[in-house]
Amino acid sequence: MNQDVFQEAFNRISARRLKAKAENEQRNQEIDSKIPEIAEINYQLAQTASRILMGEDIEILKRQNLQAQRYCAQLLENHGYPADYLDMHYTCPKCQDTGYYGNDYCTCLKQMISSVNIENMNRNSRLKLCEFSQFSLEYYRNIILKETDSNNIEHEIDCYPVMERILQYCKQYAANFSLHSPSLLFYGRSGVGKTHLSLSIVSEVLKSGHEVIYDSICDLLNRIENEHFNQKFSGTDTLTAILNAELLVLDDLGTEFQTNYTLSVIYNIINTRLNHKLPTIITANMGNKALAETYDPRIVSRLFAVYKPLKFVGKDIRRMKMQ
Ligand SMILES: Nc1ncnc2c1ncn2[C@@H]1O[C@H](COP(=O)(O)OP(=O)(O)O)[C@@H](O)[C@H]1O
Ligand SMILES: [Mg+2]
Ligand SMILES: [Zn+2]
């Protein structure tokens, strides 16, 4: 494991412990001044250790202490405080915010290590987060595209209502995101807002406290390959993080340099996450035909049947903005 990542995670857990302690002391001071009787009892309780040393009966002291504690809880409630007001309130009661449980790392520390890992990965991502508020439907207004379907019949597509529905869907998806959310496939020509909307979803889902990994497929594959073939690499395990993240956004499927190795990694990611029912959003600058020519039919059929495919339409907004 990467030492820096571990240290950062451990520091954050330690900070929780210090905070719990400081808050507990504050509550104690407050009660000391408001309910002097409790202050007196606490003073007596603090003498227990020395009374044991003086030879007093431990069993009797134990019983007295228990009674005193119950009496304190009663006093607190009589004064309108919760009975556990003076207890320590740890974020993780299991390990009392030490990060260790038995001889092992506590789940809270493991969780924190994975969060720090993911934060680092996302910080290195070339993609920058977007917001729904910066997404304008005006770019799709009065844009009518002609398309021929698989039966060679020509259709006209009014882009505005199509994209209005997609925007609405994405906002709902982000607001209601859970581990049961479906996986999405954003496809269509380049520059029509696929990356923008997927990263707007990421912004919202991150705000609700979920673990999200987002990056272009090229950069992720590079990183996985480096770690795979270079034992001395930093020690972070990108593939494991990708397979387990609560939401994964793979941007620009189809732009990667394809080898047997990259293809097998992509299949592994898509299959494993589907098996674990973890939501994934994939964007691709190509249609179903091109995807079918590039990838194994089993994968393409999953992308179109198990993922929810959303076809983005419009003109290249990058170019419209430049003009
Ligand atoms: N509806 C929109 N409103 C404002 N800016 C947009 C909109 N759609 C795309 N953009 C901007 O246009 C550029 C290209 O969009 P992008 O989402 O990267 O397209 P795609 O991923 O479909 O190729 C980006 O800078 C993006 O922020
Ligand atoms: Mg894109
Ligand atoms: Zn813990």
Side-chain angles (χ1 to χ4, degrees), residues 13 16 92-101 106-109:
I13 299 286
R16 286 179 177 172
C92 177
K94 192 173 138 194
C95 71
Q96 306 198 329
D97 296 342
T98 60
Y100 288 88
Y101 189 70
C106 182
T107 36
C108 70
L109 179 55

Side-chain angles (χ1 to χ4, degrees), residues 48 51-52 56-65:
T48 306
R51 287 171 66 184
I52 291 173
E56 283 190 45
D57 186 317
I58 295 182
E59 286 310 312
I60 293 176
L61 277 173
K62 258 193 200 163
R63 220 175 309 131
Q64 286 176 346
N65 283 1

Side-chain angles (χ1 to χ4, degrees), residues 69-163:
Q69 278 161 6
R70 279 203 206 107
Y71 183 53
C72 278
Q74 194 55 57
L75 279 175
L76 281 170
E77 283 190 322
N78 292 348
H79 284 80
Y81 290 97
D84 68 351
Y85 193 66
L86 292 179
D87 295 353
M88 292 292 279
H89 297 309
Y90 294 109
T91 308
C92 177
K94 192 173 138 194
C95 71
Q96 306 198 329
D97 296 342
T98 60
Y100 288 88
Y101 189 70
N103 289 326
D104 198 7
Y105 299 147
C106 182
T107 36
C108 70
L109 179 55
K110 290 181 191 169
Q111 183 65 40
M112 191 60 90
I113 288 170
S114 124
S115 302
V116 174
N117 245 332
I118 289 176
E119 278 173 33
N120 287 347
M121 288 177 60
N122 289 339
R123 202 174 305 121
N124 290 329
S125 169
R126 251 177 290 186
L127 300 179
K128 293 291 156 260
L129 291 177
C130 299
E131 301 293 335
F132 285 119
S133 58
Q134 296 157 350
F135 189 88
S136 163
L137 284 170
E138 289 312 307
Y139 292 103
Y140 309 96
R141 196 180 288 283
N142 299 327
I143 293 185
I144 314 288
L145 298 177
K146 284 201 172 68
E147 267 202 2
T148 38
D149 66 16
S150 49
N151 300 321
N152 249 351
I153 300 170
E154 203 165 80
H155 295 274
E156 283 197 337
I157 300 173
D158 183 355
C159 295
Y160 189 97
V162 173
M163 292 309 295

